[in-house]
Amino acid sequence: VLDYEHDGKLLAKISFVNTTINFEEQKEALMRIVLVAISAIWFLGMVLFVYFYMGYVRPFHKLKNFAGEVARGNLDMPLSMTKSNYFGVFTESFDIMREELRRAKENEYKANVSKKELVAELSHDIKTPMTIITGYLDVVISGKYETEAEKDEYLKKAFNQVEKINGMI
């Protein structure tokens, strides 16, 4: 039993139950307990870090990379779906969106090709009647006709070609 005094006054009495254990041995035992507790907390922290990284952070990185590929126009790269994490539904939705964008891009390409073909066909189909019209009007303008009836005939033929073009459009 020890007396604890401060400024000459007795404040407390300290008693040690086991007098056979040395203070240094108690200090070492306490240090071992603290070291084991810190190790256990560090290990638990690492396990939680790996769990959150695999379950939350890594799926976000996959979505970010996927979004970058889609933004660059790579619509053929599928997004792997993992139903075991919380983002499985999101990944499925993003992959459906990618597939719809790919289909829309293909349809747009087909529509552009079809439009170009249509313009080329119309251009070809209109070119012949326009050449005929130009020829008839050149004759009328140049005055290389013999009678007014012949002039009227050239104008009538030119008009018929105009009607033919209107029928195409």
Side-chain angles (χ1 to χ4, degrees):
V1 176
L2 293 174
D3 291 335
Y4 178 71
E5 294 181 5
H6 185 63
D7 292 333
K9 293 184 181 178
L10 180 65
L11 295 177
K13 293 205 176 250
I14 301 172
S15 66
F16 295 96
V17 178
N18 189 355
T19 57
T20 59
I21 297 180
N22 185 337
F23 176 73
E24 287 298 320
E25 291 173 355
Q26 286 181 349
K27 182 179 166 185
E28 287 177 17
L30 183 60
M31 289 301 284
R32 280 191 298 268
I33 291 171
V34 168
L35 185 62
V36 168
I38 289 173
S39 298
I41 290 170
W42 181 82
F43 180 75
L44 182 63
M46 291 306 292
V47 167
L48 287 173
F49 173 78
V50 168
Y51 172 76
F52 282 111
Y53 180 81
M54 298 298 279
Y56 296 98
V57 176
R58 197 168 86 178
F60 272 120
H61 285 298
K62 282 184 178 180
L63 284 174
K64 179 182 144 200
N65 293 338
F66 174 77
E69 288 296 319
V70 169
R72 282 190 284 285
N74 182 5
L75 299 175
D76 295 325
M77 184 183 104
L79 180 62
S80 60
M81 292 178 256
T82 308
K83 302 268 183 177
S84 62
N85 67 30
Y86 296 107
F87 299 102
V89 174
F90 292 119
T91 57
E92 186 176 14
S93 298
F94 276 106
D95 201 50
I96 290 170
M97 178 186 67
R98 175 198 59 85
E99 193 63 34
E100 289 299 318
L101 284 172
R102 189 180 62 72
R103 256 189 244 115
K105 189 175 179 180
E106 286 175 4
N107 289 340
E108 178 186 15
Y109 176 77
K110 288 176 185 176
N112 282 335
V113 168
S114 177
K115 182 176 86 172
K116 287 178 183 178
E117 289 173 356
L118 178 66
V119 167
E121 287 175 15
L122 282 175
S123 173
H124 180 266
D125 290 347
I126 291 175
K127 191 174 185 179
T128 303
M130 288 298 291
T131 304
I132 295 170
I133 293 170
T134 304
Y136 288 141
L137 292 178
D138 282 344
V139 169
V140 171
I141 291 171
S142 68
K144 295 183 181 178
Y145 52 88
E146 295 182 14
T147 64
E148 284 297 314
E150 190 178 2
K151 174 184 169 185
D152 290 341
E153 187 64 29
Y154 283 128
L155 290 174
K156 186 177 179 184
K157 288 180 179 180
F159 182 74
N160 287 339
Q161 292 298 319
V162 170
E163 289 295 317
K164 184 177 179 182
I165 292 172
N166 281 336
M168 286 183 210
I169 301 173

